Amino acid sequence: MENRIQHSVEATPQYIDQVFHLLLDSIVLGELQPGQRVRQGELADRLGVSRQPVSHALQLLKQQGLVREAGKQGVEVAPIDLEYIVHLYRARTALEGMAVMLATSRVRGNEALAVQTDELRSALEAGSEACGAANPTLPALVKADARFHNALYRLSGNPVIEQMMSAQWPHLMRSMMATYLGEGDWPKRAWEEHGLIAQAVLAGNIDEAHDLITRHLQRAGSESHQRLRAVLDSKQVAQSVTGRQSLMIVAASAGGHE
């Protein structure tokens, strides 16, 4: 977090937006962990701004479910909600299936703008390069994934799809970061599937493109659910062990004073 927000935000009318995006990136990329306190005064001092833009930015994050009230301590980063992620992937599968069908139909009917098809190709190329790097970083892979899918939304020609999904991508990216999907064969397989989806879309094959995006998201949703559950369960076990150890220390200390 410190590398991202220790510099001062410029004195412009976009205070709130700048603070919001600095905090959003820090939460999404795991620099601010679930349960970590976010204190307005401390944050305002570090950013070199008043408390007002910080307060407004935190309210926006609260509306998105990314921070929550923490009593007298102010607010804290919200935990990742496993049930919400499950519902999100189900809704996303249906919505992106529609986006891909619209995008492919526009390509087939020569209605798609060159800048939109070029962006899809560019996003695919950038993601493949990030995946094939000697030491690919998880944030780079997650950002590339978001860029590819957003290119599909724009190619659909329906701006509402992109608007609806824009508020959900922070949750999707948090789940990806938390489950360490950068490990194993996930990057290679994901970008192979992205390549097939893009190929079908740009060839105007509507049924094939819809089938590919549906299977891609169903697999991703299932794996995300399994890995996220395992991560959350392991953290609960660790917290339980820590709690028992603390009680044992307290008990031992009390016994020593008898």
Side-chain angles (χ1 to χ4, degrees), residues 166-231:
S166 65
Q168 304 307 323
W169 266 100
H171 296 283
L172 292 169
M173 294 172 76
R174 285 187 82 197
S175 71
M176 292 177 187
M177 292 292 298
T179 50
Y180 306 104
L181 294 182
E183 298 179 357
D185 66 346
W186 171 78
K188 184 173 182 289
R189 180 171 44 168
W191 286 99
E192 286 176 349
E193 292 177 2
H194 287 166
L196 292 174
I197 292 166
Q199 182 179 346
V201 170
L202 295 173
N205 296 327
I206 299 175
D207 291 340
E208 181 183 0
H210 182 265
D211 180 62
L212 287 168
I213 192 68
T214 299
R215 287 191 283 116
H216 172 67
L217 293 178
Q218 287 176 340
R219 179 194 59 75
S222 176
E223 292 186 1
S224 178
H225 174 256
Q226 294 173 9
R227 296 190 186 191
L228 189 54
R229 179 182 291 279
V231 168

Short mmCIF file of all heavy atoms in Angstrom, two decimals, residues 166-231:
data_model
loop_
_atom_site.label_atom_id
_atom_site.label_comp_id
_atom_site.label_asym_id
_atom_site.label_seq_id
_atom_site.Cartn_x
_atom_site.Cartn_y
_atom_site.Cartn_z
N SER A 166 -18.48 -3.39 -14.48
CA SER A 166 -17.37 -2.58 -13.95
C SER A 166 -17.37 -2.59 -12.42
O SER A 166 -16.30 -2.58 -11.80
CB SER A 166 -17.46 -1.15 -14.47
OG SER A 166 -18.63 -0.49 -14.00
N ALA A 167 -18.54 -2.61 -11.81
CA ALA A 167 -18.62 -2.63 -10.34
C ALA A 167 -18.31 -4.01 -9.77
O ALA A 167 -18.06 -4.14 -8.57
CB ALA A 167 -20.00 -2.18 -9.89
N GLN A 168 -18.33 -5.03 -10.62
CA GLN A 168 -18.12 -6.40 -10.15
C GLN A 168 -16.68 -6.88 -10.31
O GLN A 168 -16.24 -7.79 -9.62
CB GLN A 168 -19.06 -7.36 -10.89
CG GLN A 168 -20.52 -7.01 -10.77
CD GLN A 168 -20.98 -6.84 -9.33
OE1 GLN A 168 -20.54 -7.56 -8.43
NE2 GLN A 168 -21.86 -5.87 -9.10
N TRP A 169 -15.94 -6.24 -11.21
CA TRP A 169 -14.57 -6.71 -11.45
C TRP A 169 -13.67 -6.60 -10.23
O TRP A 169 -12.81 -7.46 -10.03
CB TRP A 169 -13.96 -6.02 -12.68
CG TRP A 169 -14.16 -6.87 -13.89
CD1 TRP A 169 -15.10 -6.73 -14.86
CD2 TRP A 169 -13.42 -8.06 -14.22
NE1 TRP A 169 -15.00 -7.75 -15.77
CE2 TRP A 169 -13.98 -8.57 -15.41
CE3 TRP A 169 -12.36 -8.73 -13.63
CZ2 TRP A 169 -13.50 -9.73 -16.01
CZ3 TRP A 169 -11.87 -9.89 -14.23
CH2 TRP A 169 -12.44 -10.38 -15.40
N PRO A 170 -13.81 -5.58 -9.37
CA PRO A 170 -12.99 -5.58 -8.15
C PRO A 170 -13.18 -6.84 -7.31
O PRO A 170 -12.22 -7.38 -6.76
CB PRO A 170 -13.46 -4.33 -7.42
CG PRO A 170 -13.90 -3.41 -8.51
CD PRO A 170 -14.54 -4.30 -9.52
N HIS A 171 -14.42 -7.33 -7.23
CA HIS A 171 -14.68 -8.56 -6.48
C HIS A 171 -14.07 -9.77 -7.18
O HIS A 171 -13.49 -10.65 -6.52
CB HIS A 171 -16.19 -8.76 -6.32
CG HIS A 171 -16.87 -7.70 -5.53
ND1 HIS A 171 -16.80 -7.64 -4.15
CD2 HIS A 171 -17.63 -6.63 -5.92
CE1 HIS A 171 -17.48 -6.59 -3.72
NE2 HIS A 171 -17.99 -5.97 -4.77
N LEU A 172 -14.18 -9.81 -8.50
CA LEU A 172 -13.59 -10.91 -9.26
C LEU A 172 -12.07 -10.92 -9.12
O LEU A 172 -11.46 -11.98 -8.91
CB LEU A 172 -13.99 -10.80 -10.74
CG LEU A 172 -15.46 -11.03 -11.07
CD1 LEU A 172 -15.75 -10.63 -12.50
CD2 LEU A 172 -15.84 -12.49 -10.83
N MET A 173 -11.47 -9.74 -9.22
CA MET A 173 -10.02 -9.65 -9.13
C MET A 173 -9.52 -10.00 -7.73
O MET A 173 -8.48 -10.64 -7.57
CB MET A 173 -9.55 -8.25 -9.55
CG MET A 173 -9.83 -7.95 -11.02
SD MET A 173 -9.51 -6.23 -11.48
CE MET A 173 -7.70 -6.23 -11.56
N ARG A 174 -10.28 -9.60 -6.70
CA ARG A 174 -9.90 -9.97 -5.33
C ARG A 174 -9.92 -11.49 -5.17
O ARG A 174 -9.03 -12.07 -4.53
CB ARG A 174 -10.87 -9.36 -4.33
CG ARG A 174 -10.73 -7.90 -4.07
CD ARG A 174 -11.64 -7.48 -2.93
NE ARG A 174 -11.04 -7.78 -1.63
CZ ARG A 174 -11.71 -7.83 -0.49
NH1 ARG A 174 -13.02 -7.64 -0.49
NH2 ARG A 174 -11.10 -8.08 0.63
N SER A 175 -10.94 -12.14 -5.72
CA SER A 175 -11.03 -13.59 -5.58
C SER A 175 -9.88 -14.27 -6.31
O SER A 175 -9.32 -15.27 -5.84
CB SER A 175 -12.37 -14.11 -6.08
OG SER A 175 -12.48 -14.02 -7.48
N MET A 176 -9.49 -13.73 -7.47
CA MET A 176 -8.36 -14.29 -8.22
C MET A 176 -7.06 -14.14 -7.44
O MET A 176 -6.25 -15.07 -7.34
CB MET A 176 -8.23 -13.60 -9.58
CG MET A 176 -9.35 -13.88 -10.55
SD MET A 176 -9.12 -12.93 -12.09
CE MET A 176 -10.64 -13.30 -12.94
N MET A 177 -6.85 -12.94 -6.88
CA MET A 177 -5.64 -12.68 -6.12
C MET A 177 -5.59 -13.57 -4.88
O MET A 177 -4.53 -14.10 -4.52
CB MET A 177 -5.58 -11.22 -5.70
CG MET A 177 -5.40 -10.23 -6.83
SD MET A 177 -3.78 -10.32 -7.63
CE MET A 177 -2.69 -9.90 -6.27
N ALA A 178 -6.71 -13.75 -4.22
CA ALA A 178 -6.74 -14.50 -2.96
C ALA A 178 -6.51 -15.99 -3.15
O ALA A 178 -6.01 -16.66 -2.25
CB ALA A 178 -8.08 -14.28 -2.25
N THR A 179 -6.87 -16.50 -4.32
CA THR A 179 -6.77 -17.94 -4.53
C THR A 179 -5.51 -18.33 -5.29
O THR A 179 -5.38 -19.47 -5.72
CB THR A 179 -8.01 -18.47 -5.28
OG1 THR A 179 -8.25 -17.67 -6.45
CG2 THR A 179 -9.24 -18.41 -4.40
N TYR A 180 -4.62 -17.38 -5.49
CA TYR A 180 -3.33 -17.67 -6.12
C TYR A 180 -3.46 -18.39 -7.45
O TYR A 180 -2.80 -19.38 -7.71
CB TYR A 180 -2.44 -18.50 -5.18
CG TYR A 180 -2.27 -17.88 -3.83
CD1 TYR A 180 -2.96 -18.37 -2.73
CD2 TYR A 180 -1.43 -16.79 -3.66
CE1 TYR A 180 -2.82 -17.79 -1.48
CE2 TYR A 180 -1.28 -16.19 -2.41
CZ TYR A 180 -1.98 -16.70 -1.32
OH TYR A 180 -1.84 -16.12 -0.10
N LEU A 181 -4.39 -17.88 -8.27
CA LEU A 181 -4.61 -18.53 -9.56
C LEU A 181 -3.45 -18.36 -10.53
O LEU A 181 -3.47 -18.88 -11.63
CB LEU A 181 -5.90 -17.99 -10.20
CG LEU A 181 -7.19 -18.35 -9.44
CD1 LEU A 181 -8.38 -17.81 -10.19
CD2 LEU A 181 -7.32 -19.83 -9.26
N GLY A 182 -2.43 -17.60 -10.12
CA GLY A 182 -1.25 -17.46 -10.97
C GLY A 182 -0.37 -18.68 -10.91
O GLY A 182 0.58 -18.82 -11.66
N GLU A 183 -0.66 -19.60 -9.96
CA GLU A 183 0.14 -20.79 -9.82
C GLU A 183 -0.40 -21.91 -10.69
O GLU A 183 -1.53 -21.88 -11.16
CB GLU A 183 0.17 -21.23 -8.35
CG GLU A 183 0.80 -20.19 -7.43
CD GLU A 183 0.79 -20.64 -5.99
OE1 GLU A 183 0.23 -21.73 -5.72
OE2 GLU A 183 1.32 -19.90 -5.14
N GLY A 184 0.41 -22.94 -10.91
CA GLY A 184 -0.03 -24.09 -11.66
C GLY A 184 -0.21 -23.77 -13.14
O GLY A 184 0.49 -22.94 -13.70
N ASP A 185 -1.18 -24.47 -13.77
CA ASP A 185 -1.36 -24.31 -15.21
C ASP A 185 -2.46 -23.32 -15.54
O ASP A 185 -2.86 -23.19 -16.70
CB ASP A 185 -1.69 -25.66 -15.84
CG ASP A 185 -3.04 -26.22 -15.37
OD1 ASP A 185 -3.58 -25.69 -14.37
OD2 ASP A 185 -3.54 -27.17 -15.99
N TRP A 186 -3.00 -22.60 -14.51
CA TRP A 186 -4.12 -21.70 -14.76
C TRP A 186 -3.83 -20.65 -15.83
O TRP A 186 -4.63 -20.49 -16.75
CB TRP A 186 -4.56 -21.00 -13.47
CG TRP A 186 -5.56 -19.91 -13.74
CD1 TRP A 186 -6.88 -20.04 -14.01
CD2 TRP A 186 -5.29 -18.51 -13.83
NE1 TRP A 186 -7.46 -18.83 -14.25
CE2 TRP A 186 -6.50 -17.86 -14.14
CE3 TRP A 186 -4.14 -17.73 -13.66
CZ2 TRP A 186 -6.59 -16.48 -14.29
CZ3 TRP A 186 -4.23 -16.35 -13.81
CH2 TRP A 186 -5.45 -15.75 -14.12
N PRO A 187 -2.69 -19.91 -15.76
CA PRO A 187 -2.48 -18.86 -16.77
C PRO A 187 -2.47 -19.41 -18.19
O PRO A 187 -3.12 -18.87 -19.09
CB PRO A 187 -1.12 -18.27 -16.38
CG PRO A 187 -0.94 -18.63 -14.96
CD PRO A 187 -1.59 -19.96 -14.80
N LYS A 188 -1.75 -20.50 -18.40
CA LYS A 188 -1.62 -21.08 -19.74
C LYS A 188 -2.99 -21.52 -20.27
O LYS A 188 -3.37 -21.21 -21.40
CB LYS A 188 -0.66 -22.27 -19.71
CG LYS A 188 -0.38 -22.90 -21.07
CD LYS A 188 0.71 -23.96 -20.91
CE LYS A 188 1.06 -24.58 -22.27
NZ LYS A 188 0.00 -25.44 -22.78
N ARG A 189 -3.73 -22.23 -19.43
CA ARG A 189 -5.04 -22.72 -19.87
C ARG A 189 -6.02 -21.58 -20.12
O ARG A 189 -6.76 -21.58 -21.10
CB ARG A 189 -5.61 -23.68 -18.82
CG ARG A 189 -6.96 -24.25 -19.20
CD ARG A 189 -7.40 -25.35 -18.26
NE ARG A 189 -7.18 -25.01 -16.86
CZ ARG A 189 -7.71 -25.71 -15.85
NH1 ARG A 189 -8.44 -26.77 -16.10
NH2 ARG A 189 -7.48 -25.35 -14.61
N ALA A 190 -6.02 -20.58 -19.22
CA ALA A 190 -6.94 -19.45 -19.36
C ALA A 190 -6.70 -18.70 -20.66
O ALA A 190 -7.65 -18.35 -21.37
CB ALA A 190 -6.80 -18.50 -18.18
N TRP A 191 -5.42 -18.46 -20.98
CA TRP A 191 -5.15 -17.68 -22.19
C TRP A 191 -5.30 -18.50 -23.46
O TRP A 191 -5.56 -17.95 -24.53
CB TRP A 191 -3.79 -16.99 -22.07
CG TRP A 191 -3.92 -15.84 -21.13
CD1 TRP A 191 -3.58 -15.80 -19.81
CD2 TRP A 191 -4.56 -14.59 -21.41
NE1 TRP A 191 -3.95 -14.60 -19.26
CE2 TRP A 191 -4.53 -13.84 -20.21
CE3 TRP A 191 -5.11 -14.03 -22.56
CZ2 TRP A 191 -5.07 -12.56 -20.14
CZ3 TRP A 191 -5.65 -12.75 -22.49
CH2 TRP A 191 -5.62 -12.03 -21.29
N GLU A 192 -5.17 -19.81 -23.36
CA GLU A 192 -5.51 -20.65 -24.51
C GLU A 192 -7.01 -20.56 -24.79
O GLU A 192 -7.44 -20.46 -25.95
CB GLU A 192 -5.12 -22.11 -24.23
CG GLU A 192 -3.62 -22.36 -24.30
CD GLU A 192 -3.25 -23.79 -23.94
OE1 GLU A 192 -4.15 -24.51 -23.43
OE2 GLU A 192 -2.09 -24.17 -24.13
N GLU A 193 -7.81 -20.57 -23.72
CA GLU A 193 -9.26 -20.44 -23.87
C GLU A 193 -9.63 -19.05 -24.38
O GLU A 193 -10.52 -18.91 -25.23
CB GLU A 193 -9.95 -20.73 -22.54
CG GLU A 193 -9.83 -22.18 -22.11
CD GLU A 193 -10.45 -22.46 -20.75
OE1 GLU A 193 -11.01 -21.51 -20.15
OE2 GLU A 193 -10.39 -23.62 -20.30
N HIS A 194 -8.96 -18.01 -23.88
CA HIS A 194 -9.19 -16.66 -24.38
C HIS A 194 -8.91 -16.58 -25.87
O HIS A 194 -9.64 -15.92 -26.63
CB HIS A 194 -8.30 -15.66 -23.64
CG HIS A 194 -8.73 -15.40 -22.24
ND1 HIS A 194 -7.93 -14.77 -21.31
CD2 HIS A 194 -9.89 -15.70 -21.58
CE1 HIS A 194 -8.57 -14.68 -20.15
NE2 HIS A 194 -9.76 -15.23 -20.30
N GLY A 195 -7.83 -17.24 -26.29
CA GLY A 195 -7.48 -17.22 -27.70
C GLY A 195 -8.55 -17.86 -28.57
O GLY A 195 -8.89 -17.34 -29.64
N LEU A 196 -9.11 -18.98 -28.11
CA LEU A 196 -10.17 -19.65 -28.87
C LEU A 196 -11.43 -18.80 -28.92
O LEU A 196 -12.12 -18.75 -29.94
CB LEU A 196 -10.47 -21.01 -28.23
CG LEU A 196 -9.36 -22.06 -28.33
CD1 LEU A 196 -9.72 -23.30 -27.52
CD2 LEU A 196 -9.08 -22.43 -29.79
N ILE A 197 -11.74 -18.14 -27.80
CA ILE A 197 -12.93 -17.26 -27.75
C ILE A 197 -12.76 -16.11 -28.74
O ILE A 197 -13.67 -15.83 -29.53
CB ILE A 197 -13.13 -16.72 -26.32
CG1 ILE A 197 -13.52 -17.86 -25.37
CG2 ILE A 197 -14.20 -15.63 -26.31
CD1 ILE A 197 -13.42 -17.50 -23.91
N ALA A 198 -11.61 -15.46 -28.70
CA ALA A 198 -11.36 -14.33 -29.60
C ALA A 198 -11.40 -14.77 -31.06
O ALA A 198 -11.94 -14.07 -31.92
CB ALA A 198 -10.01 -13.69 -29.27
N GLN A 199 -10.84 -15.94 -31.33
CA GLN A 199 -10.82 -16.45 -32.70
C GLN A 199 -12.24 -16.67 -33.21
O GLN A 199 -12.57 -16.30 -34.35
CB GLN A 199 -10.04 -17.77 -32.73
CG GLN A 199 -9.91 -18.38 -34.13
CD GLN A 199 -9.09 -19.67 -34.11
OE1 GLN A 199 -8.42 -19.97 -33.14
NE2 GLN A 199 -9.17 -20.43 -35.18
N ALA A 200 -13.10 -17.26 -32.38
CA ALA A 200 -14.49 -17.51 -32.78
C ALA A 200 -15.25 -16.21 -32.96
O ALA A 200 -16.04 -16.05 -33.91
CB ALA A 200 -15.18 -18.39 -31.74
N VAL A 201 -15.03 -15.24 -32.07
CA VAL A 201 -15.71 -13.94 -32.16
C VAL A 201 -15.31 -13.24 -33.45
O VAL A 201 -16.17 -12.76 -34.21
CB VAL A 201 -15.38 -13.06 -30.94
CG1 VAL A 201 -15.87 -11.63 -31.16
CG2 VAL A 201 -16.02 -13.64 -29.68
N LEU A 202 -14.02 -13.16 -33.70
CA LEU A 202 -13.53 -12.42 -34.87
C LEU A 202 -13.84 -13.13 -36.18
O LEU A 202 -13.82 -12.51 -37.25
CB LEU A 202 -12.02 -12.19 -34.73
CG LEU A 202 -11.63 -11.28 -33.55
CD1 LEU A 202 -10.11 -11.25 -33.38
CD2 LEU A 202 -12.17 -9.87 -33.75
N ALA A 203 -14.15 -14.43 -36.10
CA ALA A 203 -14.55 -15.18 -37.30
C ALA A 203 -16.05 -15.12 -37.53
O ALA A 203 -16.55 -15.59 -38.55
CB ALA A 203 -14.10 -16.63 -37.18
N GLY A 204 -16.77 -14.55 -36.56
CA GLY A 204 -18.22 -14.42 -36.70
C GLY A 204 -18.99 -15.69 -36.41
O GLY A 204 -20.15 -15.83 -36.82
N ASN A 205 -18.36 -16.63 -35.67
CA ASN A 205 -19.03 -17.90 -35.34
C ASN A 205 -19.79 -17.75 -34.02
O ASN A 205 -19.25 -17.98 -32.94
CB ASN A 205 -18.00 -19.03 -35.24
CG ASN A 205 -17.30 -19.29 -36.56
OD1 ASN A 205 -17.90 -19.14 -37.62
ND2 ASN A 205 -16.03 -19.67 -36.50
N ILE A 206 -21.05 -17.37 -34.10
CA ILE A 206 -21.83 -17.01 -32.92
C ILE A 206 -22.00 -18.17 -31.95
O ILE A 206 -21.72 -18.04 -30.74
CB ILE A 206 -23.21 -16.46 -33.33
CG1 ILE A 206 -23.04 -15.19 -34.18
CG2 ILE A 206 -24.06 -16.17 -32.10
CD1 ILE A 206 -24.34 -14.64 -34.73
N ASP A 207 -22.47 -19.32 -32.43
CA ASP A 207 -22.73 -20.46 -31.54
C ASP A 207 -21.44 -20.95 -30.88
O ASP A 207 -21.42 -21.27 -29.68
CB ASP A 207 -23.39 -21.61 -32.31
CG ASP A 207 -24.81 -21.28 -32.73
OD1 ASP A 207 -25.41 -20.36 -32.13
OD2 ASP A 207 -25.32 -21.93 -33.67
N GLU A 208 -20.38 -21.03 -31.65
CA GLU A 208 -19.10 -21.51 -31.11
C GLU A 208 -18.57 -20.55 -30.05
O GLU A 208 -18.10 -20.98 -28.99
CB GLU A 208 -18.07 -21.66 -32.23
CG GLU A 208 -16.72 -22.17 -31.74
CD GLU A 208 -15.67 -22.24 -32.84
OE1 GLU A 208 -16.00 -21.89 -34.00
OE2 GLU A 208 -14.53 -22.64 -32.54
N ALA A 209 -18.65 -19.25 -30.34
CA ALA A 209 -18.16 -18.25 -29.39
C ALA A 209 -18.95 -18.32 -28.09
O ALA A 209 -18.37 -18.24 -26.99
CB ALA A 209 -18.26 -16.86 -30.00
N HIS A 210 -20.26 -18.45 -28.18
CA HIS A 210 -21.11 -18.53 -26.99
C HIS A 210 -20.79 -19.78 -26.19
O HIS A 210 -20.71 -19.74 -24.94
CB HIS A 210 -22.58 -18.52 -27.39
CG HIS A 210 -23.51 -18.54 -26.22
ND1 HIS A 210 -24.05 -19.72 -25.71
CD2 HIS A 210 -23.99 -17.54 -25.43
CE1 HIS A 210 -24.81 -19.44 -24.67
NE2 HIS A 210 -24.80 -18.13 -24.47
N ASP A 211 -20.59 -20.90 -26.86
CA ASP A 211 -20.27 -22.15 -26.17
C ASP A 211 -18.93 -22.05 -25.46
O ASP A 211 -18.78 -22.49 -24.32
CB ASP A 211 -20.25 -23.30 -27.18
CG ASP A 211 -19.93 -24.63 -26.53
OD1 ASP A 211 -20.70 -25.07 -25.66
OD2 ASP A 211 -18.89 -25.23 -26.88
N LEU A 212 -17.95 -21.43 -26.11
CA LEU A 212 -16.61 -21.31 -25.53
C LEU A 212 -16.60 -20.41 -24.30
O LEU A 212 -15.98 -20.76 -23.29
CB LEU A 212 -15.64 -20.76 -26.59
CG LEU A 212 -15.24 -21.74 -27.69
CD1 LEU A 212 -14.51 -21.01 -28.82
CD2 LEU A 212 -14.34 -22.85 -27.13
N ILE A 213 -17.27 -19.26 -24.37
CA ILE A 213 -17.26 -18.35 -23.22
C ILE A 213 -18.03 -18.97 -22.05
O ILE A 213 -17.64 -18.81 -20.88
CB ILE A 213 -17.85 -16.97 -23.59
CG1 ILE A 213 -17.57 -15.94 -22.47
CG2 ILE A 213 -19.33 -17.04 -23.84
CD1 ILE A 213 -16.14 -15.56 -22.30
N THR A 214 -19.11 -19.71 -22.35
CA THR A 214 -19.89 -20.33 -21.30
C THR A 214 -19.07 -21.39 -20.57
O THR A 214 -19.02 -21.41 -19.33
CB THR A 214 -21.16 -20.98 -21.87
OG1 THR A 214 -21.97 -19.95 -22.49
CG2 THR A 214 -21.97 -21.67 -20.78
N ARG A 215 -18.41 -22.26 -21.31
CA ARG A 215 -17.59 -23.30 -20.68
C ARG A 215 -16.40 -22.70 -19.95
O ARG A 215 -16.01 -23.19 -18.88
CB ARG A 215 -17.14 -24.32 -21.74
CG ARG A 215 -18.27 -25.22 -22.21
CD ARG A 215 -17.80 -26.40 -23.04
NE ARG A 215 -17.46 -26.01 -24.40
CZ ARG A 215 -16.25 -26.09 -24.93
NH1 ARG A 215 -15.23 -26.52 -24.20
NH2 ARG A 215 -16.03 -25.75 -26.18
N HIS A 216 -15.82 -21.64 -20.50
CA HIS A 216 -14.69 -20.95 -19.87
C HIS A 216 -15.08 -20.40 -18.49
O HIS A 216 -14.37 -20.61 -17.50
CB HIS A 216 -14.23 -19.81 -20.78
CG HIS A 216 -13.22 -18.90 -20.18
ND1 HIS A 216 -11.93 -19.30 -19.88
CD2 HIS A 216 -13.30 -17.58 -19.81
CE1 HIS A 216 -11.25 -18.27 -19.35
NE2 HIS A 216 -12.07 -17.23 -19.30
N LEU A 217 -16.22 -19.74 -18.42
CA LEU A 217 -16.65 -19.13 -17.16
C LEU A 217 -17.19 -20.15 -16.18
O LEU A 217 -17.03 -19.98 -14.96
CB LEU A 217 -17.68 -18.03 -17.44
CG LEU A 217 -17.13 -16.81 -18.19
CD1 LEU A 217 -18.24 -15.80 -18.46
CD2 LEU A 217 -16.00 -16.15 -17.38
N GLN A 218 -17.83 -21.19 -16.67
CA GLN A 218 -18.30 -22.24 -15.75
C GLN A 218 -17.12 -22.93 -15.09
O GLN A 218 -17.14 -23.21 -13.88
CB GLN A 218 -19.16 -23.25 -16.51
CG GLN A 218 -20.54 -22.72 -16.88
CD GLN A 218 -21.35 -23.70 -17.72
OE1 GLN A 218 -20.80 -24.62 -18.34
NE2 GLN A 218 -22.66 -23.51 -17.76
N ARG A 219 -16.07 -23.22 -15.86
CA ARG A 219 -14.87 -23.83 -15.28
C ARG A 219 -14.20 -22.89 -14.30
O ARG A 219 -13.84 -23.27 -13.18
CB ARG A 219 -13.88 -24.20 -16.39
CG ARG A 219 -12.58 -24.81 -15.84
CD ARG A 219 -11.50 -24.87 -16.90
NE ARG A 219 -11.17 -23.55 -17.41
CZ ARG A 219 -10.46 -22.64 -16.74
NH1 ARG A 219 -10.04 -22.88 -15.51
NH2 ARG A 219 -10.18 -21.47 -17.29
N ALA A 220 -14.05 -21.61 -14.71
CA ALA A 220 -13.39 -20.63 -13.85
C ALA A 220 -14.16 -20.45 -12.55
O ALA A 220 -13.58 -20.35 -11.46
CB ALA A 220 -13.25 -19.30 -14.58
N GLY A 221 -15.49 -20.40 -12.65
CA GLY A 221 -16.31 -20.22 -11.46
C GLY A 221 -16.21 -21.40 -10.51
O GLY A 221 -16.11 -21.22 -9.29
N SER A 222 -16.22 -22.61 -11.06
CA SER A 222 -16.12 -23.81 -10.24
C SER A 222 -14.77 -23.88 -9.53
O SER A 222 -14.70 -24.16 -8.32
CB SER A 222 -16.31 -25.06 -11.11
OG SER A 222 -16.13 -26.23 -10.36
N GLU A 223 -13.69 -23.62 -10.26
CA GLU A 223 -12.36 -23.68 -9.67
C GLU A 223 -12.16 -22.56 -8.65
O GLU A 223 -11.54 -22.77 -7.61
CB GLU A 223 -11.30 -23.61 -10.76
CG GLU A 223 -11.26 -24.84 -11.65
CD GLU A 223 -10.10 -24.81 -12.63
OE1 GLU A 223 -9.32 -23.84 -12.60
OE2 GLU A 223 -9.98 -25.78 -13.41
N SER A 224 -12.68 -21.39 -8.95
CA SER A 224 -12.57 -20.27 -8.03
C SER A 224 -13.27 -20.59 -6.72
O SER A 224 -12.75 -20.31 -5.63
CB SER A 224 -13.16 -19.00 -8.65
OG SER A 224 -13.10 -17.92 -7.74
N HIS A 225 -14.46 -21.20 -6.80
CA HIS A 225 -15.22 -21.57 -5.61
C HIS A 225 -14.44 -22.57 -4.75
O HIS A 225 -14.33 -22.41 -3.53
CB HIS A 225 -16.57 -22.16 -6.02
CG HIS A 225 -17.37 -22.70 -4.88
ND1 HIS A 225 -17.49 -24.05 -4.64
CD2 HIS A 225 -18.08 -22.08 -3.90
CE1 HIS A 225 -18.24 -24.24 -3.57
NE2 HIS A 225 -18.61 -23.05 -3.10
N GLN A 226 -13.90 -23.60 -5.40
CA GLN A 226 -13.17 -24.63 -4.66
C GLN A 226 -11.92 -24.05 -3.99
O GLN A 226 -11.66 -24.32 -2.81
CB GLN A 226 -12.78 -25.76 -5.62
CG GLN A 226 -13.96 -26.54 -6.17
CD GLN A 226 -13.55 -27.55 -7.22
OE1 GLN A 226 -12.36 -27.80 -7.45
NE2 GLN A 226 -14.53 -28.13 -7.91
N ARG A 227 -11.16 -23.26 -4.72
CA ARG A 227 -9.91 -22.73 -4.17
C ARG A 227 -10.18 -21.67 -3.11
O ARG A 227 -9.47 -21.61 -2.10
CB ARG A 227 -9.05 -22.15 -5.29
CG ARG A 227 -8.60 -23.19 -6.30
CD ARG A 227 -7.56 -22.62 -7.25
NE ARG A 227 -7.23 -23.56 -8.31
CZ ARG A 227 -6.20 -23.40 -9.14
NH1 ARG A 227 -5.44 -22.33 -9.03
NH2 ARG A 227 -5.95 -24.29 -10.07
N LEU A 228 -11.18 -20.85 -3.34
CA LEU A 228 -11.49 -19.80 -2.37
C LEU A 228 -11.99 -20.42 -1.07
O LEU A 228 -11.64 -19.96 0.02
CB LEU A 228 -12.53 -18.85 -2.94
CG LEU A 228 -12.81 -17.57 -2.14
CD1 LEU A 228 -11.53 -16.80 -1.86
CD2 LEU A 228 -13.81 -16.69 -2.86
N ARG A 229 -12.80 -21.45 -1.17
CA ARG A 229 -13.27 -22.14 0.04
C ARG A 229 -12.08 -22.71 0.81
O ARG A 229 -12.01 -22.61 2.05
CB ARG A 229 -14.24 -23.26 -0.32
CG ARG A 229 -14.74 -24.03 0.90
CD ARG A 229 -15.67 -25.17 0.49
NE ARG A 229 -16.93 -24.67 -0.02
CZ ARG A 229 -17.94 -24.27 0.74
NH1 ARG A 229 -17.81 -24.30 2.07
NH2 ARG A 229 -19.05 -23.84 0.21
N ALA A 230 -11.14 -23.31 0.09
CA ALA A 230 -9.96 -23.89 0.75
C ALA A 230 -9.13 -22.81 1.43
O ALA A 230 -8.64 -22.99 2.55
CB ALA A 230 -9.11 -24.65 -0.27
N VAL A 231 -8.97 -21.67 0.75
CA VAL A 231 -8.19 -20.57 1.32
C VAL A 231 -8.86 -20.03 2.58
O VAL A 231 -8.22 -19.82 3.61
CB VAL A 231 -8.01 -19.44 0.29
CG1 VAL A 231 -7.46 -18.18 0.95
CG2 VAL A 231 -7.06 -19.88 -0.82
#
